Amino acid sequence: MQYLIDSYSAYTVDGGLLDKGWQVVNWFFVDIPFFILRMFASFFLFCENVLNQSSFFEGKQETVLNMSKDVLSGFGGKGFRDGSLLALAILISAYYLLYHFFSSRRNFSKVFLHYIGVVALFLFWFGNIAYTNPETHVQEESSGSTFLIKSMNEFAKGVQSTFTASANLGTEGSKDGEVYQSPIFDATVKQTFNFVNSGSLDGKMENGKKLDESKLLEKPKLSKGEKKDFEKDRKTYINDHEKYNPYFAQDGAKTMEKAFGVGVGLVNLAVLAVPVTYINIMINVIQIIVDLLILVFPIIAL
């Protein structure tokens, strides 16, 4: 993020003693709601960054797959060695099928199809399949489980990108005094900042000129001297543009308009951030469940 989030605020001239009443009114109806908007935006952006763990889970899937193969090796491996647990399971299941073949209590064909389905899934999971890589168009070979995991990851990314298309939450690294920024921040906090300081979402003032963000928004890591000089320049900029921009005036002419703009920003944040956060949580939960299923698959198959 290029500027500190705390500097996204509604700016006005200081005014005189008689303007203190309007200062309190603007503080109550504009500054406090804007602070709440920034706080919730920071929370959702932080949650998005924490939940963006796709690469982490993809790495863990390969790890748990190798652990799953170790479990299978402990059961006897794919070779069905004599004396192994897998060989014993095959022997018991054969007697189980023989019992149902001669028994009239259950439908043998249904039991047999269930058995064939389990065996086929087992062979697919630990067997090798050939497929064409959609990116390189080269014939490749991998285990069925690896192919399924890659397909699941691509599907999860597709679902995530579909639900987050309107608020693509690409994040940037955090630095001292900064928060993670994304287009959802621009659609809520930044547009609200532009509106309460210019009356337009793109920051264009009534005289046709745009707000100079560098004069209003503070950059991170400023020294005490630099910060003092910046605040002085910002005050001068606001005072110089008050006559061209009524949104800088310390009065009540634009107070309700500003308050409405902040309210719209809060509604936009709720509409955009809540569904996106929910989808990210669900995708993470599904990926955790998939990792657990990969690990215990040999046990489930037995």
Side-chain angles (χ1 to χ4, degrees), residues 2 21 57 89 95-96 127 148 160 175 190 200 210-211 240 252 264 267 271 276 294:
Q2 188 176 2
F57 284 112
Y95 283 115
Y96 178 75
L148 194 61
Q160 191 174 29
K175 298 178 182 179
K190 186 175 180 179
S200 64
K210 294 190 68 173
L211 290 172
D240 291 344
V264 172
V267 173
V271 171
V276 169
I294 293 172

Side-chain angles (χ1 to χ4, degrees), residues 207-266:
N207 63 355
K209 296 182 179 180
K210 294 190 68 173
L211 290 172
D212 189 349
E213 292 184 353
S214 63
K215 297 291 186 180
L216 297 174
L217 300 175
E218 180 183 343
K219 292 185 177 180
K221 294 185 176 180
L222 294 181
S223 63
K224 289 184 179 180
E226 291 173 335
K227 185 175 182 180
K228 187 176 180 180
D229 291 339
F230 169 79
E231 291 175 349
K232 182 179 179 180
D233 292 340
R234 177 166 60 189
K235 184 177 180 179
T236 302
Y237 176 80
I238 295 172
N239 290 333
D240 291 344
H241 287 77
E242 179 191 1
K243 58 183 178 181
Y244 307 113
N245 184 12
Y247 291 85
F248 282 159
Q250 189 66 267
D251 55 32
K254 301 294 183 181
T255 299
M256 290 299 102
E257 188 178 337
K258 293 179 181 180
F260 176 78
V262 177
V264 172
L266 285 167

Side-chain angles (χ1 to χ4, degrees), residues 264-284:
V264 172
L266 285 167
V267 173
N268 286 339
L269 181 64
V271 171
L272 294 174
V274 173
V276 169
T277 302
Y278 174 77
I279 292 299
N280 285 332
I281 291 174
M282 289 297 100
I283 288 178
N284 282 332

Side-chain angles (χ1 to χ4, degrees), residues 7 14 45 64 70 120 131 135 148 176 180 197 221 247 253 298:
S7 62
D14 290 338
L45 293 173
V64 296
D70 291 338
Y131 67 96
E135 296 181 357
L148 194 61
D176 295 340
Y180 303 101
N197 288 293
K221 294 185 176 180
Y247 291 85

Side-chain angles (χ1 to χ4, degrees), residues 138-168:
V138 176
Q139 192 80 5
E140 297 182 2
E141 185 175 282
S142 67
S143 65
S145 52
T146 302
F147 174 78
L148 194 61
I149 290 171
K150 290 181 179 179
S151 300
M152 189 280 299
N153 289 334
E154 292 301 322
F155 174 76
K157 290 178 181 178
V159 171
Q160 191 174 29
S161 62
T162 299
F163 279 92
T164 59
S166 60
N168 180 24

